[in-house]
Amino acid sequence: MRGRGRRRPDLPSRLTPPLGTGAQCRLVTPERREPAALGRGGLEGSDPAWLGQDWGLTPLFASPGEQPPAGAAAMFSLKPAKPTFKSYLLPQVEDKITPEPKIKKLEPVLLPGEIVVNEVNFVRKCIATDTSQYDLWGKLVCSNFKISFITDDPMPLQKFHYKNLLLGEHDVPLTCIEQVVTVNDTKRKQKVLGPNQKLKFNPTELIIYCKDFRIVRFRFDEAGPESAKKVCLAVAHYSQPTDLQLLFAFEYVGKKYHNPATVNGIDPGGRGRGSSQQTPLFETYSDWDREIKRTGASEWRVCSVNEGYMISTCLPEYFVVPSSLADQDLKLYSYSFIGRRMPLWCWNHSNGSALVRMANIKDVLQQRKIDQRICNAITRSHPQRSDVHKSDLDKCLPNIQEIQAAFIKLKQLCVNEPFEETEEKWLSSLENTRWLEYVRSFLKHSAELVYMLDSKHVSVVLQEDEGRDLSCFVASLIQVMLDPYFRTIVGFQSLIQKEWVMAGYQFLDRCNHLKRADKESPLFLMFLDSIWQLLEQYPSAFEFSETYLTILYDSTRISLFGTFLFNCPHQRVKQSTEFAISKNIQLGDEKGLKFPSVWDWSLQFTTRDRMLFHNPWYIGKSAPCVQNGSVKSFKRTKKNYSSTLRGIPPSLKNGIINEQEFLPRRNSLILKLKPDFLQQMDSQTNSMEQYFREWYSKPVDLHGVILPRLSGTHIKLWKLCYFRWVPEAQINNGGFITAFHKISVLTDQVNMLNQSLRQYKSSSSLQANCSELDQSRMYFRANGLNDTAGTPDFLSSSFPFSPVGNLCRRSILGTPLSKFLSGAKIWLSTETLANED
């Protein structure tokens, strides 16, 4: 059998010696005439020795030890004949069996505590709505943390995608899922799946509606029907937990205590190399004390009367109160407030006026008495003993239900309605959502309270029913407008930690982590939207970028960080302690489990990607310069600031529309606001209007007070946040990011020049002190001082996000998406679908 280099078993082994043994069968050229026996036509009777001599064959004997016959010894010489024939045939070698290539298994990347609950192979992820040529094939996996689509195929049509270290390119956290819809094409059925529901048909398609406006679609054409049904039910079940301890953060942190390990180089639950080391969490007495000293609030003190949450479970253990109020008085007064939420100090102005927030007093009989005592204590804490201005937020601002209704309409407009069908009426449809109107109302009311604090020098008390929703919003906006520290990254994070997390904002209910729609409201998103409006108007006043704000909003949908997971600090301690007991975790002296902080950005992004958080337009408090060989701090004065309002009509500079200059437009948002605005202006003294006019007429001091412009042309839609997943809204090589790129490169070139000057004029010791300044904080860097490179091809208006694979314009079998976005659990029969078609 020549094919595999093997001999047949019936052949004599002595005629074909195995290779490598040294035995040979040699052919030599005959030196005599042809034997007579051959001439007579045969070999019969021929002597074998003679035959071997004539043909040059070395005789082979039966065995190596067998002696030749006597005649043979005389006939043959013991010296072997010299071969004269050379063979050009290669020796036969056994064919090697090539092993088949191993099939690469598609396995998900799991975090500590994460387990796979169901999976299905041969799944197709739809990439485009009009064709299937770009679709990806892979495995769909559901874990207790996310749904993950795993594929070896590269993402088509995508030039850039920033990487989250916790999530893959195709991953969706379970807490980011809005609704799960299954579809069967052949039976023309579809169903919105809830937890613990049955599915009576085999799904051919799965559509995931996300809270961040994404729509992800999977097809099961080649997958097993039972496996597809199981994974759909698993996604619906695990994305709608009924208990807080079922959220993934508990399992993740539990692994830390049972088996300490590092994730991305960071200890789970601990503070890593990110900015959380600098961000005060206001969980300790010292954090509040440092904030008092930073703002110069000498007549206020840190109170520990709620230590161990003995008085109120929705207040932090430590908070700041007037020094004139004793602990016993606070305990006595606390029974009269809703939720026993006593007045909380927020911030102090340099002129002595304070910003305070408190809940309403529920005891009608004691209301006036207690209210007077609280106001007197706040007045005594003011160096000028100024009066207190109270603002009832429930009466002058939209409530959380109205904000939720506006958000649903905004989502329908941005996701469901095609541009080609709504282009003519799109702006009026946006106006009808009332989203921008509510953003304007919060900015306007906060600016009026800034006037009371900054110009009138009076303390302001924010009063709300429970003091846990609108007061978080307004208190934070006021401090951003007044204090430049809160316009830095660390300062802004400490502001959210102080006014939202520790003050008891109900992230669990408002973000709807447990799918309780009656308590859901995107108040925190509207706050970030309002901050973006200020960032858009004064880009040089903020250290962070709009990418930072967008990613911060996305982080509220990741059920890993304790920052946005609970309704109050007490709930975190109580729930985590119960979980630790059930899992036999020894806490020691710790008050509950320590969850990771969202401010530790190194858990999610590399150092390189975190540079996208920095705003290249930002002008810091001081800039280093070289003078006479030494680095000095150059403080900019007001003359260095150019007014960004030049060329704007006076009527638009401060958002005030005069009677003479008012140009009405049909269905105009400005027209709707005009009566309310004028009515409030009439109720106030002329000093408020004068204050705003004087401020807008001067160049902007980026390290002083900033006030929003409130006219309709200045309040805009936050496109990066709301349009980033819409392919039709993407502008390749366009949008705000192109200017961001050019300014970043220019800033990096300026840093290069400064570094060259320091190296030329400074001593070696001074260079060591300035080494930190030499490090560029820009994501886009210059290749040199003469860099003239153009805009990168991967830039688009959605940067750093990509809308590829997100089918935001897809209607399911003719069904309007608004039916799913409204939150109604519907069942569409075959007849209903037929009528809609």
Side-chain angles (χ1 to χ4, degrees):
M1 297 178 67
R2 182 175 300 175
R4 294 191 178 274
R6 299 176 182 174
R7 62 175 181 271
R8 293 178 57 182
D10 55 342
L11 294 178
S13 60
R14 287 175 294 179
L15 294 180
T16 55
L19 296 175
T21 59
Q24 301 182 28
C25 180
R26 295 185 296 274
L27 281 173
V28 295
T29 305
E31 298 177 356
R32 302 196 312 169
R33 60 177 176 83
E34 183 180 356
L38 288 177
R40 291 189 294 268
L43 296 177
E44 295 86 355
S46 299
D47 184 86
W50 172 84
L51 180 65
Q53 185 184 22
D54 277 1
W55 287 91
L57 288 173
T58 302
L60 301 174
F61 303 103
S63 61
E66 185 178 355
Q67 296 295 329
M75 185 178 297
F76 295 105
S77 172
L78 295 178
K79 185 177 180 180
K82 183 177 180 181
T84 59
F85 177 79
K86 184 176 181 181
S87 175
Y88 291 93
L89 297 176
L90 296 176
Q92 294 182 357
V93 183
E94 290 190 15
D95 295 338
K96 294 183 179 180
I97 302 176
T98 305
E100 296 181 358
K102 294 183 179 180
I103 300 177
K104 182 179 179 180
K105 291 185 177 181
L106 301 177
E107 298 296 340
V109 178
L110 302 178
L111 298 173
E114 185 179 5
I115 57 174
V116 175
V117 296
N118 222 309
E119 61 184 28
V120 57
N121 291 300
F122 308 111
V123 177
R124 179 160 57 94
K125 181 180 180 181
C126 301
I127 300 301
T129 57
D130 53 349
T131 180
S132 60
Q133 64 175 333
Y134 301 115
D135 291 354
L136 303 178
W137 290 89
K139 176 194 289 187
L140 182 62
V141 177
C142 175
S143 72
N144 58 340
F145 172 54
K146 62 179 182 287
I147 59 170
S148 181
F149 180 75
I150 311 164
T151 180
D152 278 340
D153 300 334
M155 177 68 85
L157 308 175
Q158 181 170 302
K159 299 179 181 179
F160 176 84
H161 182 82
Y162 84 102
K163 183 175 181 178
N164 191 311
L165 301 178
L166 299 176
L167 299 169
E169 187 176 9
H170 304 280
D171 294 354
V172 178
L174 294 177
T175 45
C176 188
I177 296 177
E178 181 83 26
Q179 281 186 333
V180 180
V181 180
T182 54
V183 180
N184 185 288
D185 294 338
T186 57
K187 296 183 179 181
R188 298 188 59 78
K189 289 185 177 181
Q190 62 184 7
K191 184 178 182 180
V192 180
L193 283 180
N196 302 320
Q197 285 189 349
K198 295 182 179 180
L199 191 58
K200 296 183 180 180
F201 59 85
N202 293 326
T204 59
E205 188 172 320
L206 173 67
I207 301 100
I208 304 294
Y209 295 90
C210 303
K211 296 178 181 179
D212 58 1
F213 292 22
R214 275 184 297 172
I215 300 178
V216 188
R217 179 167 164 249
F218 302 99
R219 295 283 303 178
F220 303 121
D221 300 310
E222 304 296 332
E226 287 298 322
S227 299
K229 180 188 291 186
K230 289 180 180 179
V231 79
C232 291
L233 293 173
V235 172
H237 177 75
Y238 282 89
S239 64
Q240 303 178 63
T242 57
D243 187 76
L244 175 59
Q245 295 183 20
L246 295 177
L247 295 177
F248 173 68
F250 286 87
E251 293 293 338
Y252 178 83
V253 177
K255 280 292 182 179
K256 168 201 170 186
Y257 291 88
H258 281 303
N259 185 20
T262 59
V263 182
N264 302 327
I266 307 298
D267 190 13
R271 295 185 177 184
R273 298 184 299 268
S275 58
S276 69
Q277 292 179 333
Q278 307 173 26
T279 303
L281 301 181
F282 291 95
E283 295 177 349
T284 61
Y285 184 100
S286 58
D287 286 344
W288 289 99
D289 188 57
R290 278 192 294 268
E291 184 66 9
I292 288 178
K293 295 177 181 178
R294 189 189 71 84
T295 58
S298 57
E299 298 297 326
W300 298 78
R301 67 181 180 89
V302 182
C303 174
S304 59
V305 69
N306 197 41
E307 196 169 19
Y309 307 99
M310 299 299 296
I311 293 182
S312 176
T313 58
C314 55
L315 284 179
E317 288 189 286
Y318 308 100
F319 52 92
V320 179
V321 297
S323 300
S324 58
L325 281 180
D327 289 351
Q328 293 299 324
D329 295 334
L330 291 172
K331 293 179 182 179
L332 182 63
Y333 298 157
S334 65
Y335 292 97
S336 301
F337 290 94
I338 296 178
R340 303 190 69 179
R341 291 180 61 87
M342 296 167 287
L344 300 177
W345 172 87
C346 300
W347 181 79
N348 234 65
H349 196 284
S350 57
N351 59 29
S353 56
L355 178 63
V356 184
R357 50 191 289 192
M358 71 177 184
N360 288 334
I361 300 175
K362 61 182 179 180
D363 191 349
V364 180
L365 299 177
Q366 299 291 329
Q367 181 177 3
R368 185 173 181 178
K369 176 182 177 182
I370 296 176
D371 188 71
Q372 188 64 38
R373 290 185 178 180
I374 295 296
C375 290
N376 290 338
I378 296 175
T379 299
R380 286 194 294 269
S381 66
H382 197 291
Q384 300 175 3
R385 301 298 190 264
S386 298
D387 294 333
V388 175
H389 174 79
K390 295 182 66 175
S391 175
D392 192 343
L393 302 181
D394 292 322
K395 294 181 180 180
C396 55
L397 291 172
N399 56 43
I400 60 173
Q401 291 80 15
E402 294 172 330
I403 295 174
Q404 172 67 6
F407 180 68
I408 292 176
K409 294 179 181 179
L410 178 67
K411 184 183 293 186
Q412 293 175 5
L413 180 64
C414 294
V415 175
N416 188 40
E417 303 296 337
F419 286 120
E420 59 272 12
E421 298 179 8
T422 60
E423 183 177 0
E424 296 181 357
K425 59 179 181 179
W426 201 89
L427 291 178
S428 59
S429 300
L430 175 62
E431 182 178 326
N432 292 333
T433 65
R434 306 192 71 180
W435 179 263
L436 295 183
E437 177 186 342
Y438 292 158
V439 171
R440 178 183 287 104
S441 63
F442 276 99
L443 288 169
K444 175 176 175 294
H445 188 71
S446 301
E448 293 173 353
L449 297 179
V450 166
Y451 158 76
M452 301 301 297
L453 289 162
D454 186 56
S455 179
K456 300 295 289 183
H457 297 186
V458 298
S459 297
V460 173
V461 176
L462 306 177
Q463 198 156 2
E464 188 189 2
D465 187 25
E466 293 186 13
R468 305 178 66 177
D469 286 303
L470 304 181
S471 58
C472 300
F473 196 151
V474 176
S476 300
L477 268 184
I478 292 173
Q479 293 174 70
V480 169
M481 294 179 188
L482 285 170
D483 195 338
Y485 169 71
F486 295 123
R487 301 196 284 267
T488 65
I489 293 180
V490 174
F492 187 70
Q493 294 175 170
S494 68
L495 176 69
I496 295 176
Q497 191 72 29
K498 174 170 66 81
E499 299 298 338
W500 294 78
V501 179
M502 299 307 296
Y505 178 73
Q506 303 172 78
F507 280 103
L508 179 66
D509 294 339
R510 301 295 180 253
C511 295
N512 203 16
H513 292 323
L514 300 182
K515 301 300 184 293
R516 297 168 183 171
D518 57 327
K519 297 183 178 181
E520 184 178 8
S521 184
L523 196 65
F524 186 68
L525 173 61
M526 182 170 282
F527 164 70
L528 296 179
D529 195 324
S530 302
I531 296 297
W532 177 82
Q533 302 290 341
L534 295 173
L535 171 63
E536 180 75 4
Q537 296 176 15
Y538 307 103
S540 299
F542 291 85
E543 184 184 13
F544 47 83
S545 63
E546 67 170 333
T547 301
Y548 168 83
L549 294 175
T550 309
I551 291 177
L552 179 58
Y553 168 65
D554 290 343
S555 300
T556 63
R557 306 299 183 184
I558 301 178
S559 60
L560 180 65
F561 307 106
T563 311
F564 303 131
L565 209 61
F566 303 98
N567 286 335
C568 59
H570 173 261
Q571 187 183 46
R572 177 189 64 82
V573 174
K574 181 176 181 294
Q575 293 288 334
S576 62
T577 302
E578 293 177 357
F579 180 82
I581 295 175
S582 64
K583 299 295 183 180
N584 296 323
I585 298 176
Q586 302 296 328
L587 294 176
D589 296 333
E590 296 183 7
K591 296 180 180 179
L593 299 174
K594 293 296 183 182
F595 292 87
S597 172
V598 73
W599 314 127
D600 191 356
W601 294 109
S602 58
L603 281 174
Q604 294 192 68
F605 303 101
T606 62
T607 304
R608 165 74 171 161
D609 287 343
R610 292 201 300 273
M611 292 181 181
L612 284 171
F613 294 175
H614 295 279
N615 176 19
W617 277 274
Y618 176 64
I619 299 177
K621 188 66 175 177
S622 60
C625 68
V626 178
Q627 183 176 355
N628 298 328
S630 61
V631 176
K632 294 188 177 181
S633 178
F634 170 61
K635 295 186 178 180
R636 293 175 170 88
T637 62
K638 291 185 178 181
K639 293 182 180 180
N640 297 103
Y641 299 118
S642 60
S643 176
T644 57
L645 298 173
R646 293 174 182 172
I648 299 177
S651 59
L652 298 180
K653 286 186 178 180
N654 56 357
I656 299 176
I657 308 300
N658 294 333
E659 290 286 350
Q660 298 82 2
E661 299 169 321
F662 182 74
L663 301 177
R665 178 172 57 88
R666 190 175 62 174
N667 296 327
S668 172
L669 183 59
I670 305 176
L671 184 59
K672 293 180 179 179
L673 288 178
K674 178 199 168 195
D676 296 336
F677 183 83
L678 294 179
Q679 182 179 359
Q680 290 192 10
M681 289 302 299
D682 292 338
S683 63
Q684 297 287 343
T685 60
N686 293 330
S687 59
M688 179 182 292
E689 182 179 357
Q690 184 66 25
Y691 171 78
F692 288 122
R693 290 194 179 279
E694 289 181 358
W695 190 91
Y696 286 108
S697 64
K698 298 177 181 179
V700 181
D701 183 0
L702 300 177
H703 303 292
V705 178
I706 60 173
L707 296 176
R709 303 173 219 163
L710 302 174
S711 67
T713 58
H714 290 120
I715 303 299
K716 305 176 183 178
L717 185 68
W718 188 6
K719 296 179 182 178
L720 180 64
C721 185
Y722 306 132
F723 279 167
R724 52 184 162 150
W725 309 121
V726 183
E728 294 88 341
Q730 186 179 16
I731 306 173
N732 293 324
N733 294 323
F736 176 79
I737 190 61
T738 56
F740 184 95
H741 166 260
K742 293 185 181 300
I743 294 297
S744 298
V745 173
L746 182 61
T747 303
D748 197 48
Q749 289 177 333
V750 172
N751 291 336
M752 289 182 180
L753 289 173
N754 287 334
Q755 182 179 358
S756 300
L757 288 174
R758 285 193 292 269
Q759 292 177 350
Y760 180 73
K761 294 185 176 181
S762 302
S763 60
S764 58
S765 60
L766 191 57
Q767 290 181 16
N769 295 333
C770 298
S771 60
E772 185 176 344
L773 298 174
D774 296 341
Q775 299 177 0
S776 176
R777 301 168 66 184
M778 296 297 103
Y779 182 84
F780 299 105
R781 299 181 182 178
N783 295 325
L785 294 178
N786 298 322
D787 186 9
T788 58
T791 304
D793 294 336
F794 57 79
L795 289 186
S796 70
S797 57
S798 299
F799 183 89
F801 310 95
S802 174
V804 176
N806 300 290
L807 311 179
C808 291
R809 297 294 174 187
R810 180 76 174 184
S811 294
I812 308 169
L813 296 178
T815 304
L817 184 60
S818 57
K819 292 186 177 181
F820 300 109
L821 295 176
S822 62
K825 306 302 181 181
I826 63 173
W827 170 267
L828 296 181
S829 62
T830 306
E831 292 78 14
T832 305
L833 292 173
N835 294 333
E836 291 184 352
D837 290 340

